Amino acid sequence: MAERPATGRYAEAGPDGFLCGFVALAGRANVGKSTLMNRLVGAKVSIVSDVPQTTRFPVRGILHRPGLQVIFIDTPGIHKPRYRMNEEMVRLATRVLREVDLVTVLIDASEGFGPGDRFVFELLKSARSRSVLVLNKVDLMSKERLLPLIDEASRTGLFEEIVPLSALSGENCDRLQAVIADRMPPGPPHFPEDILTDLPQRQAISELIREQVFQQTRQEVPHATAVLIEMIEEGENNLTRIHATIVTDRDSQKAILIGEGGRMMKAIGTTARRSLEAYLGSHVHLSLWVKVKKGWRDDTSVLRLIGLPPS
Ligand SMILES: Nc1nc2c(ncn2[C@@H]2O[C@H](COP(=O)(O)OP(=O)(O)OP(=O)(O)O)[C@@H](O)[C@H]2O)c(=O)[nH]1
Ligand SMILES: [Mg+2]
């Protein structure tokens, strides 16, 4: 494990003074919240794709350092909801802002501030939580373009610190970790040291399959898709059998998900199986079925099954 940094509250906490706190990662969709959480925790905890609205419910990832525990909460991207599902996603993300010790707001610095970011700032104001700003994706831009962004962000008066970084390459992520550590309150750890997330196994499995749908399909298809786990069976010879249903909204989307001669299903199944094997540490036999359930994004019984219980 890393040594304590040489300066700041974290270093001053002393050998017996444990710090433990909750930190939300918030921002509009696709700015890199899940990538950053995985980077900070040092493990793949939350799924990532280049499709906006990948994360659908808050996912916790836990950082362990000597004398410090940070419970990060990766939240769904804030966006304009068109379905009940999206209303619940935004509601959960907004609620988390008020429940944490610190909010880390992300923007995609390569795109600059947009109306979506400003809307997030308004939510942050109402939440009245302490906050820091991350200017993410600096690997995609020249450093000269950073200064005006830092100026504009400081003028909002909302942030205690502004940290430019790249969640993807890891550049300057240690700086953010130090900024966060110095703002954690004293308190005992909430989780044992070997726990990196409290996401239940069933949900983690469903997420890893959904990640492949998001990475391999385009346009409306990923948004119109959910993954329901029907069966997980640990068999002999270190083999886990998993049956999952991919639910989608329309026949045309089902056809895309299956693909010509079943090609898309096969591609999703093969990559999902590999990531499930890495996650479970066993061989996996994965059976996938596609089912059309029109209007499922407004159906609270389905939403409950995918971790979005109605408010
Ligand atoms: N170049 C670059 N790409 C990044 C960086 N961070 C994230 N990305 C990419 O941005 C896309 C979105 O990343 P996510 O981590 O899923 O973003 P998110 O904010 O969690 O998105 P939602 O869950 O949809 O709200 C992915 O393709 C990432 O690989 C970065 O620092 N640099
Ligand atoms: Mg995400």
Side-chain angles (χ1 to χ4, degrees):
M1 261 199 225
E3 292 292 304
R4 279 168 184 263
T7 56
R9 178 180 182 170
Y10 175 35
E12 287 156 13
D16 305 324
F18 208 95
L19 304 179
C20 179
F22 290 81
V23 177
L25 297 172
R28 66 175 177 81
N30 218 37
V31 292
K33 301 176 292 297
S34 304
T35 308
L36 182 61
M37 182 165 84
N38 294 342
R39 165 73 58 189
L40 293 166
V41 170
K44 163 86 171 269
V45 168
S46 197
I47 64 167
V48 167
S49 86
D50 59 6
V51 176
Q53 301 161 29
T54 300
T55 304
R56 285 186 176 161
F57 50 81
V59 177
R60 277 176 288 275
I62 299 129
L63 169 76
H64 304 269
R65 286 289 178 273
L68 172 74
Q69 183 169 97
V70 183
I71 300 122
F72 288 105
I73 308 175
D74 177 24
T75 61
I78 304 285
H79 62 280
K80 271 202 193 103
R82 282 174 56 205
Y83 299 92
R84 181 71 186 264
M85 174 180 78
N86 305 76
E87 278 170 30
E88 298 299 336
M89 286 162 62
V90 173
R91 182 182 63 80
L92 288 174
T94 310
R95 194 173 76 188
V96 169
L97 300 182
R98 296 192 300 265
E99 294 174 341
V100 289
D101 299 295
L102 182 72
V103 178
T104 300
V105 177
L106 282 81
I107 71 152
D108 179 340
S110 70
E111 291 186 353
F113 294 101
D117 303 307
R118 295 201 178 87
F119 183 67
V120 173
F121 294 175
E122 290 307 313
L123 292 178
L124 188 65
K125 261 185 217 160
S126 341
R128 299 168 155 269
S129 296
R130 296 181 66 179
S131 56
V132 297
L133 180 71
V134 162
L135 304 177
N136 192 29
K137 308 199 187 183
V138 295
D139 56 295
L140 295 178
M141 60 193 290
S142 64
K143 298 283 185 278
E144 303 86 77
R145 284 179 52 218
L146 270 177
L147 277 179
L149 282 182
I150 294 176
D151 269 358
E152 192 177 343
S154 327
R155 279 199 299 274
T156 65
L158 280 171
F159 305 107
E160 294 181 14
E161 287 273 352
I162 299 165
V163 184
L165 57 77
S166 167
L168 194 66
S169 75
E171 183 188 348
N172 218 26
C173 288
D174 49 350
R175 165 82 190 127
L176 177 67
Q177 194 188 296
V179 162
I180 290 171
D182 282 338
R183 285 165 178 76
M184 292 297 94
H190 284 275
F191 291 95
E193 258 196 51
D194 54 342
I195 300 288
L196 297 179
T197 181
D198 60 352
L199 192 65
Q201 189 193 63
R202 200 180 189 83
Q203 239 171 327
I205 289 174
S206 142
E207 286 290 272
L208 288 172
I209 299 169
R210 193 167 66 81
E211 184 175 48
Q212 290 312 317
V213 175
F214 269 60
Q215 289 189 357
Q216 300 194 39
T217 63
R218 289 283 152 259
Q219 290 165 345
E220 209 11 53
V221 180
H223 301 291
T225 300
V227 175
L228 304 179
I229 304 299
E230 314 288 351
M231 183 205 84
I232 306 168
E233 191 181 80
E234 285 174 34
E236 298 194 338
N237 301 323
N238 197 28
L239 177 74
T240 309
R241 287 177 193 282
I242 298 168
H243 287 197
T245 303
I246 299 179
V247 178
T248 192
D249 204 45
R250 291 195 213 139
D251 292 321
S252 58
Q253 293 158 350
K254 175 176 175 173
I256 293 169
L257 279 162
I258 292 173
E260 245 183 83
R263 236 172 280 164
M264 180 59 88
M265 232 350 55
K266 190 154 187 235
I268 290 171
T270 307
T271 36
R273 176 174 54 72
R274 279 196 212 114
S275 64
L276 289 169
E277 288 184 332
Y279 166 71
L280 292 167
S282 71
H283 298 298
V284 168
H285 186 281
L286 177 62
S287 311
L288 293 177
W289 300 92
V290 185
K291 196 166 123 183
V292 176
K293 196 164 170 45
K294 288 197 171 56
W296 71 262
R297 282 172 285 185
D298 289 315
D299 180 339
T300 52
S301 62
V302 178
L303 297 183
R304 195 171 278 120
L305 290 174
I306 62 166
L308 289 169
S311 45

